Amino acid sequence: MKITDETITYVAALAKLELSDDEKDRAKTDLENIISYMDTMNEIDTSNVEPMSHAFPMKNVFREDVVTNGDERDNLLSNAPVKKDGCFIVPKTVE
Amino acid sequence: MAEIKLQDTTPMTALELSTKMKAGEVSVEEVVKKQLEIIKSEDEKYNCYITVWEEAAIARAKEVQKLIDEGKLADSSLAGVPIAIKDNICTKGELTTCASKMLSNFKPPYNAEVIERLEAAGAIIIGKANMDEFAMGSTTETSYYGPTKNPRGVEYVPGGSSGGAAAAVAAREAVIALGSDTGGSVRQPCSFCGVTGIKPTYGTVSRYGLIAYASSLDQIGPIANNVADCASVLEVIAGHDAKDSTSVPTQSYQYTKALVDDVKGKKIGIPRGYIGKGLDEEVKASILAAAKVLEEKGATVEEFDLDIVDLAIPAYYVLASAEASSNLSRYDGVKYGYRTSDFEGLGDLYKKTRSEGFGQEVKRRMMIGAFVLSSGYYDAYYNKALRVKALIKEGFDKAFEKYDVILGPTAPTTALKIGENLSDPLKMYLGDIYTVSVNLAGLPAISLPCGEDSKGMPIGLQLIGKPFKEADIIQVAYSYEQARIK
Amino acid sequence: MKSYETVIGLEVHVELATKTKIFCGCTTAFGGSPNTHCCPVCTGMPGTLPVLNKQVVEFAIAAGLATNCTITQNCKFDRKNYFYPDLPKAYQVSQLYLPICRDGGIEIEVGGVKKTIGIHEIHMEEDAGKLVHDEWDDCTLVDYNRCGVPLIEIVSDPDMRSADEVIAYLEKLKLILQYLGVSDCKMQEGSLRADINLSIREVGAPEFGTRTEMKNMNSFKAIARAIEGERKRQIEVLEYGKKVNQETRRWDDNKDTSFAMRSKEDAQDYRYFPEPDLVPIEISDEWLDTVKKRQPELRDEKMVRYETQYDIPEYDASLITSSKKLADIFEATVAICNKPKEVSNWLMVETMRLLKEHEMEPENIAFTPENLAKLIGLIDAGSINRTVAKEVFEVVFAENVDPESYVKEKGLLIVNDEGELRKTIDEIIASNPQSVEDYHNGKTKAMGFLVGQTMKAMKGKADPGMINTIVLELLQKQ
């Protein structure tokens, strides 16, 4: 699998990362090696195999619809880098 | 009370130590203070810890002493025992960094389920152990807090990602420790540092409060100086937890009952792929010698073919990276952790925070993860990996129709020198060849010392069990350990 | 100009009426100070894990059954990955590969023509938080109270061709969901939100045109205006020989126009994959049967029952069942007073009038069936007359007062003391000799005047029948 500059720019954008030119070059080499290695999976025919997300067939794990939590605002905001009026703060999102 | 010297307390097993504390032969505070002294004198060399809980541990020692005096911890094998916790396990109000700049100031407002269980058993958390950043790495070199060094030779890596935890136990900086194992992160550092560790069956130990790397593969596991201590710790932390949907209720969690020196009639299989190409000759000799010991003790040992071992690594790195890219997206400088100081607008806040807060290896895996899930590649990589995973599981299922336990090396080599592997990620990934398939199939496995190479570095023996049959691997490991001691 | 056809499909997000959020034990109550209905799980703190609320699955199944869907008996959750501050984990737990319901449809009727609107799928997911702009600091405040509230997203097929059909579909959907008790469907609180996918094509064209998606609609009226506005805009674009861009647009109801939302700087690539922290859901036949048996009576069945059991006209039944709330009040009130037609009249006439006057929806009705029954009881016992009753009802409607104590307090009870009434009428007759004369001269209208004067003197608290009888008797004695 050939990894292009566009691919690196695209996956960096998806992962919300800003890469320097050096980092991009390095990522290109690394990803190309790694993805090519991943391509070895194609050596085996899996057309008759169902994808397996969970190793064990667990099913139907539920909780009942009962309120168990109270107000934990101070705890939740205790790690916030910036906060105001009981809220987390981000740069303006609406135009 | 008798004067206790460092060497009197520390080489003891957790079980012996706890027994002495419960018998009043030594106080919990004395033990904890001795433990802190050792850390003070040793940790400059090894860098096992990110945070040492000096005051909290002493305060806690007093509380636990009171409980012991009241007879409330009579049944606990861990009462008063100092334990190191890998720094990706949440501890309420105390730094939990994942060895990342991103979480360098994060104090969770809750405890992981395992912490609750350890505290109820009277164990004393002595500190938070170093690790590869977000558990991504096999050397503990990717830590934001600097690499941990191998107590068996400081120029060597301790393995990873639970390198700090394994090294702490090896350096007597903790009696026992908790690590986490996503692709070998408990077993491989145990192998490199000459200690013992268990990766439990997926679903045995609650993941609640374990900061996720790859959710479908992560399991918390014990690290100790011997099999019995590992079994005791596992007994305390294992159990169904309603807060973790993937927690599997099983019939018995009494692992210490399996501490029986007897392997007669046990059927042990060695996959040929585990002792073939790529395996260091000295490691191979040591593993086969261990198999011989078990055979002499009455087990039947034979070699067999385990299919598609080679495809476990690519499948593992596809799945782990994909899940990691999703799990680590929440670190954006808004709710907790690092936030860049200079940005313009939301997109810039996200990008700068994440680019400055994460290290190279973490960024690399997030990009791999984004790639294999991205539009047009999902089927070729992610779905393909899920199918390979199914085949690997099937291969193990078939093997376990014949064998009780699968035996092999934990790692293809002994510990590498610091810096040797960092430049080539793919080379580092290949070192996980014998461990990752266990995580893909959800199986339990133990790594325990079985010798040294010519440089004096430890070799780890890996025993893999059937799902939820931790008892099998504990019994075989214990029997082997007894034979080695004698 | 060519002749165009509008093609519309809807994605309707419905907040479910569970007590707790989809993956944690936090309350779903509307409002509350910011971030007080949150916990480490719904705010996506590191290391936390989701556990599915069983009621969410049952509500989703109920909605699927009532909309004639096939229930996916082996379904699971997936992660939809994207960065936005209202989504604390940077992924939304949703369903892509195996949604819980598929291939359903509901019948609507517009201008007497019946038509089935297909339902492509219904999936379960978690709601996001709320972003509030802070003018003072020019930043955005993030409140996660709604984050993790369970939603079902009902995705229709592109089967609608006009705003009328869209409104009929939404009304029908809303009614079904309310009858099921699955959601309160309050649009102003955001518990029912519709995204509109709209495209234009020449009549007879085999292919659909390029569609746009419009968000931010908070009333049926806004939806109707948005459809009309977007239809015109797209036709204009096509008439100028340009192409419609596939984009998301925001409808601004104040400016009566839509705007392209700033195109996201990155392509939308949600990188869905199966949620590893949740296990699959298996809906057994038994479970499905249990939910089926619990399905409440829906509108059509209810209408038939009202006509037969309560013997009220079809028109009444149709009007009352047009709102679950009205139907509930109707049944509860009848259960107390056993006067179906009377209850129906109060709901259809006075209640409807007041709702319209106050621009309210039936869901917002505040009075209790007990108080309506008491009011009917008062009329029935002859304790108040209808004129007074209407005045009292206005107060009951506004403040849900107890009519019995209210009429006592205000002295509105009918005076049944015949002696006092006779005395008053004597006085009225004595002071209106002209009217008496007129009456005897054959002007029967004069009697009405005398009755009116009496009622006025009695401040409306007299029984009109009794006044009539006495006035007639006394006049004839003259």
Side-chain angles (χ1 to χ4, degrees):
Chain A
M1 178 82 206
K2 187 86 190 145
I3 301 292
T4 61
D5 288 344
E6 288 71 38
T7 308
I8 291 297
T9 308
Y10 184 67
V11 293
L14 286 178
K16 287 274 185 282
L17 293 171
E18 201 171 57
L19 303 183
S20 66
D21 289 346
D22 280 358
E23 283 178 312
K24 270 185 195 162
D25 285 346
R26 198 179 154 183
K28 213 167 101 177
T29 317
D30 287 345
L31 256 66
E32 195 160 302
N33 286 338
I34 294 164
I35 306 281
S36 299
Y37 179 56
M38 288 170 172
D39 286 334
T40 60
M41 289 193 298
N42 294 325
E43 289 165 12
I44 190 162
D45 177 17
T46 53
S47 49
N48 292 320
V49 187
E50 278 298 302
M52 187 180 76
S53 296
H54 293 80
F56 305 117
M58 289 268 288
K59 273 175 187 146
N60 293 1
V61 175
F62 299 119
R63 36 170 282 274
E64 294 304 313
D65 187 23
V66 176
V67 177
T68 52
N69 301 337
D71 175 6
E72 273 194 72
R73 174 157 86 182
D74 293 346
N75 269 338
L76 299 174
L77 283 162
S78 64
N79 282 288
V82 194
K83 56 194 158 192
K84 186 187 174 187
D85 301 340
C87 289
F88 301 91
I89 296 290
V90 292
K92 181 168 83 155
T93 56
V94 269
E95 286 130 272
Chain B
M1 207 175 282
E3 170 77 7
I4 305 277
K5 296 192 184 111
L6 282 185
Q7 56 267 40
D8 290 336
T9 56
T10 56
M12 272 180 218
T13 68
L15 295 174
E16 287 164 350
L17 197 56
S18 182
T19 306
K20 273 186 191 292
M21 284 184 273
K22 282 186 286 190
E25 288 173 39
V26 58
S27 78
V28 181
E29 195 174 338
E30 275 176 283
V31 169
V32 167
K33 281 185 171 164
K34 297 290 176 198
Q35 187 66 78
L36 289 167
E37 270 176 46
I38 300 173
I39 294 173
K40 213 165 247 175
S41 72
E42 302 294 289
D43 207 45
E44 261 177 50
K45 275 182 278 179
Y46 306 130
N47 194 28
C48 299
Y49 285 96
I50 291 173
T51 318
V52 179
W53 289 16
E54 222 162 313
E55 283 170 29
I58 291 171
R60 178 77 185 135
K62 289 176 181 159
E63 285 170 29
V64 170
Q65 185 67 58
K66 198 163 162 262
L67 293 172
I68 289 176
D69 295 346
E70 290 165 357
K72 284 180 183 157
L73 292 169
D75 294 338
S76 170
S77 52
L78 299 185
V81 179
I83 183 166
I85 306 291
K86 188 178 183 180
D87 211 20
N88 60 350
I89 297 172
C90 288
T91 43
K92 188 174 180 175
E94 302 284 351
L95 274 185
T96 301
T97 68
C98 281
S100 179
K101 182 181 181 183
M102 187 57 93
L103 287 180
S104 52
N105 55 2
F106 178 58
K107 292 181 175 174
Y110 44 87
N111 270 330
E113 175 64 15
V114 289
I115 299 297
E116 299 283 343
R117 289 181 188 232
L118 283 174
E119 293 201 329
I124 305 216
I125 298 169
I126 204 85
K128 301 298 289 289
N130 202 5
M131 55 186 280
D132 280 297
E133 186 182 3
F134 279 99
M136 296 178 193
S138 312
T139 62
T140 315
E141 291 169 289
T142 68
S143 169
Y144 174 62
Y145 298 92
T148 295
K149 285 156 193 161
N150 193 321
R152 299 289 294 267
V154 288
E155 67 272 38
Y156 293 95
V157 300
S161 64
S162 311
V169 171
R172 313 291 182 206
E173 288 187 47
V175 179
I176 48 178
L178 286 192
S180 69
D181 190 316
T182 307
S185 282
V186 161
R187 290 161 286 156
Q188 186 256 23
C190 284
S191 168
F192 281 14
C193 293
V195 295
T196 302
I198 297 176
K199 182 260 158 196
T201 312
Y202 186 79
T204 298
V205 178
S206 169
R207 293 185 294 117
Y208 191 87
L210 168 66
I211 299 183
Y213 157 24
S215 314
S216 71
L217 306 165
D218 295 340
Q219 268 291 288
I220 293 170
I223 297 171
N225 273 302
N226 59 69
V227 177
D229 282 1
C230 273
S232 303
V233 177
L234 186 57
E235 201 162 277
V236 168
I237 60 172
H240 180 250
D241 178 16
K243 296 190 295 303
D244 176 357
S245 302
T246 61
S247 168
V248 183
T250 56
Q251 277 141 16
S252 170
Y253 297 99
Q254 291 174 312
Y255 306 111
T256 50
K257 281 200 175 155
L259 296 167
V260 179
D261 183 5
D262 181 15
V263 290
K264 280 186 212 79
K266 291 272 181 209
K267 282 174 269 173
I268 298 172
I270 305 175
R272 289 195 187 90
Y274 277 35
I275 49 169
K277 195 175 62 141
L279 180 63
D280 179 278
E281 283 303 324
E282 286 183 285
V283 175
K284 181 175 173 178
S286 198
I287 297 301
L288 292 177
K292 193 89 189 141
V293 168
L294 289 167
E295 201 167 16
E296 280 162 8
K297 284 178 75 99
T300 58
V301 179
E302 61 180 49
E303 292 181 15
F304 74 104
D305 286 315
L306 184 62
D307 294 339
I308 64 164
V309 171
D310 295 348
L311 296 187
I313 295 178
Y316 168 81
Y317 277 96
V318 168
L319 299 177
S321 303
E323 290 182 24
S325 72
S326 174
N327 284 330
L328 270 63
S329 291
R330 72 189 68 197
Y331 306 107
D332 59 6
V334 177
K335 297 138 303 191
Y336 33 72
Y338 175 76
R339 179 181 180 115
T340 187
S341 49
D342 182 27
F343 59 92
E344 267 174 59
L346 183 67
D348 205 35
L349 167 67
Y350 282 167
K351 276 191 212 155
K352 286 218 169 87
T353 294
R354 291 168 60 76
S355 301
E356 293 163 15
F358 288 129
Q360 280 307 323
E361 183 59 27
V362 173
K363 290 185 199 174
R364 187 181 294 134
R365 292 196 198 184
M366 288 192 304
M367 287 193 283
I368 296 169
F371 176 80
V372 298
L373 289 174
S374 66
S375 164
Y377 294 107
Y378 179 84
D379 282 327
Y381 294 98
Y382 191 82
N383 236 1
K384 180 80 184 182
L386 288 181
R387 293 179 206 270
V388 171
K389 177 181 168 176
L391 285 176
I392 288 168
K393 174 85 168 39
E394 203 181 289
F396 275 110
D397 286 349
K398 223 184 281 169
F400 282 122
E401 284 171 11
K402 264 181 108 176
Y403 307 109
D404 300 307
V405 167
I406 291 172
L407 179 151
T410 305
T413 63
T414 54
L416 300 170
K417 291 240 169 96
I418 289 173
E420 225 174 307
N421 241 356
L422 260 191
S423 54
D424 186 352
L426 188 56
K427 197 172 149 202
M428 183 169 78
Y429 298 173
L430 294 176
D432 300 337
I433 176 97
Y434 308 126
T435 46
V436 291
S437 52
V438 166
N439 297 78
L440 291 172
L443 303 170
I446 188 168
S447 176
L448 70 162
C450 67
E452 292 172 0
D453 68 4
S454 49
K455 290 169 285 181
M457 294 309 286
I459 295 167
L461 169 72
Q462 181 174 219
L463 300 169
I464 304 166
K466 295 174 186 171
F468 306 104
K469 294 285 187 188
E470 275 77 358
D472 286 347
I473 53 171
I474 287 169
Q475 187 170 342
V476 174
Y478 182 76
S479 301
Y480 173 73
E481 189 182 64
Q482 292 304 307
R484 269 196 91 209
I485 293 168
K486 279 167 199 163
Chain C
M1 201 167 96
K2 294 163 190 156
S3 170
Y4 291 99
E5 176 182 54
T6 316
V7 176
I8 307 166
L10 292 190
E11 288 164 23
V12 178
H13 290 87
V14 179
E15 280 188 354
L16 300 180
T18 53
K19 294 182 194 74
T20 60
K21 293 186 178 180
I22 183 166
F23 299 126
C24 64
C26 289
T27 176
T28 54
F30 185 76
S33 293
N35 295 305
T36 55
H37 298 169
C38 301
C39 74
V41 175
C42 54
T43 54
M45 300 282 278
T48 59
L49 297 168
V51 184
L52 179 59
N53 182 344
K54 190 176 184 185
Q55 187 65 60
V56 172
V57 181
E58 302 211 331
F59 277 163
I61 297 173
L65 291 173
T67 51
N68 310 301
C69 288
T70 306
I71 305 300
T72 313
Q73 288 182 268
N74 284 291
C75 77
K76 61 191 176 73
F77 282 98
D78 304 295
R79 287 188 187 176
K80 179 182 184 179
N81 296 283
Y82 64 94
F83 286 84
Y84 208 60
D86 62 3
L87 196 64
K89 299 187 295 289
Y91 59 81
Q92 180 190 33
V93 179
S94 180
Q95 298 190 286
L96 176 74
Y97 296 108
L98 292 169
I100 187 161
C101 315
R102 285 190 278 212
D103 302 328
I106 53 175
E107 194 179 64
I108 59 166
E109 191 178 325
V110 174
V113 180
K114 286 184 177 167
K115 176 174 181 181
T116 297
I117 306 299
I119 287 175
H120 183 259
E121 68 170 67
I122 301 178
H123 60 255
M124 303 178 280
E125 61 185 24
E126 54 182 340
D127 206 351
K130 193 171 82 177
L131 303 177
V132 181
H133 184 57
D134 182 304
E135 295 289 345
W136 188 260
D137 284 340
D138 199 29
C139 62
T140 296
L141 306 177
V142 188
D143 171 10
Y144 291 129
N145 278 355
R146 301 315 291 161
C147 197
V149 169
L151 298 176
I152 50 173
E153 180 175 335
I154 304 168
V155 183
S156 85
D157 289 321
D159 288 345
M160 286 158 276
R161 297 290 175 267
S162 68
D164 285 347
E165 288 186 3
V166 168
I167 303 299
Y169 168 77
L170 284 171
E171 295 273 18
K172 179 87 181 228
L173 207 54
K174 184 176 160 184
L175 216 53
I176 290 173
L177 297 169
Q178 285 177 334
Y179 268 98
L180 289 172
V182 156
S183 174
D184 60 18
C185 295
K186 291 182 181 167
M187 289 191 90
Q188 68 276 21
E189 288 181 9
S191 52
L192 187 147
R193 316 189 284 261
D195 297 342
I196 299 167
N197 291 307
L198 185 149
S199 65
I200 295 292
R201 64 175 168 189
E202 271 185 64
V203 172
E207 304 289 328
F208 290 135
T210 307
R211 65 188 163 89
T212 59
E213 184 179 1
M214 276 186 299
K215 292 179 184 277
N216 203 28
M217 249 75 58
N218 55 10
S219 74
F220 285 171
K221 280 178 192 161
I223 288 169
R225 282 195 292 268
I227 288 171
E228 186 50 25
E230 181 61 11
R231 185 185 73 84
K232 280 187 185 151
R233 189 191 69 85
Q234 287 192 18
I235 289 175
E236 238 167 71
V237 170
L238 294 177
E239 284 288 307
Y240 275 107
K242 290 187 202 154
K243 276 185 180 163
V244 172
N245 290 327
Q246 182 162 352
E247 62 192 356
T248 302
R249 301 180 68 85
R250 177 188 293 273
W251 174 252
D252 188 329
D253 206 36
N254 296 322
K255 297 187 181 132
D256 210 30
T257 180
S258 71
F259 299 93
M261 286 169 75
R262 188 179 55 177
S263 58
K264 296 267 159 66
E265 81 187 78
D266 315 307
Q268 291 296 345
D269 186 341
Y270 292 126
R271 290 158 288 141
Y272 280 98
F273 70 102
E275 165 59 281
D277 286 331
L278 291 166
V279 300
I281 304 158
E282 188 179 78
I283 302 160
S284 64
D285 292 342
E286 292 75 31
W287 190 8
L288 209 51
D289 279 345
T290 315
V291 180
K292 261 181 201 160
K293 279 189 196 122
R294 270 201 309 241
Q295 288 288 82
E297 185 186 37
L298 296 180
R299 187 192 184 186
D300 294 346
E301 306 157 64
K302 215 182 254 294
M303 268 178 67
V304 173
R305 182 167 64 86
Y306 282 10
E307 288 171 53
T308 52
Q309 183 185 338
Y310 298 122
D311 196 24
I312 59 173
E314 188 189 339
Y315 178 77
D316 291 34
S318 153
L319 204 114
I320 289 167
T321 57
S322 68
S323 148
K324 168 83 165 32
K325 178 84 181 181
L326 278 181
D328 286 347
I329 296 175
F330 173 74
E331 286 183 43
T333 314
V334 173
I336 303 169
C337 70
N338 201 24
K339 292 206 169 319
K341 183 60 190 150
E342 183 72 14
V343 177
S344 159
N345 286 346
W346 278 103
L347 291 177
M348 295 200 330
V349 184
E350 286 306 303
T351 306
M352 284 309 195
R353 178 179 67 80
L354 289 169
L355 284 173
K356 206 171 170 189
E357 211 173 286
H358 293 93
E359 292 183 342
M360 282 165 60
E361 297 294 324
E363 287 77 53
N364 304 110
I365 288 175
F367 67 81
T368 55
E370 287 73 24
N371 285 337
L372 177 55
K374 279 183 182 178
L375 184 71
I376 292 169
L378 287 170
I379 304 163
D380 210 37
S383 308
I384 54 175
N385 63 40
R386 287 204 172 267
T387 318
V388 172
K390 282 182 189 175
E391 286 163 27
V392 175
F393 182 72
E394 290 202 12
V395 191
V396 173
F397 181 90
E399 298 162 41
N400 190 31
V401 295
D402 176 347
E404 286 173 2
S405 16
Y406 182 79
V407 294
K408 266 182 215 149
E409 228 171 80
K410 301 278 173 186
L412 298 173
L413 284 170
I414 279 179
V415 180
N416 288 319
D417 181 343
E418 206 183 315
E420 196 189 332
L421 195 56
R422 276 181 184 278
K423 220 177 105 197
T424 309
I425 294 171
D426 269 336
E427 284 165 17
I428 298 280
I429 287 178
S431 53
N432 290 290
Q434 186 60 47
S435 298
V436 176
E437 202 186 319
D438 288 351
Y439 175 79
H440 288 298
N441 290 337
K443 290 186 182 167
T444 43
K445 254 178 155 180
M447 176 177 157
F449 174 76
L450 292 171
V451 169
Q453 288 299 104
T454 311
M455 195 55 110
K456 200 171 163 191
M458 293 298 293
K459 297 192 175 109
K461 292 180 291 180
D463 176 2
M466 199 186 271
I467 298 178
N468 258 322
T469 317
I470 298 171
V471 169
L472 195 65
E473 181 197 321
L474 295 182
L475 278 175
Q476 280 163 359
K477 276 186 189 164
Q478 295 276 325

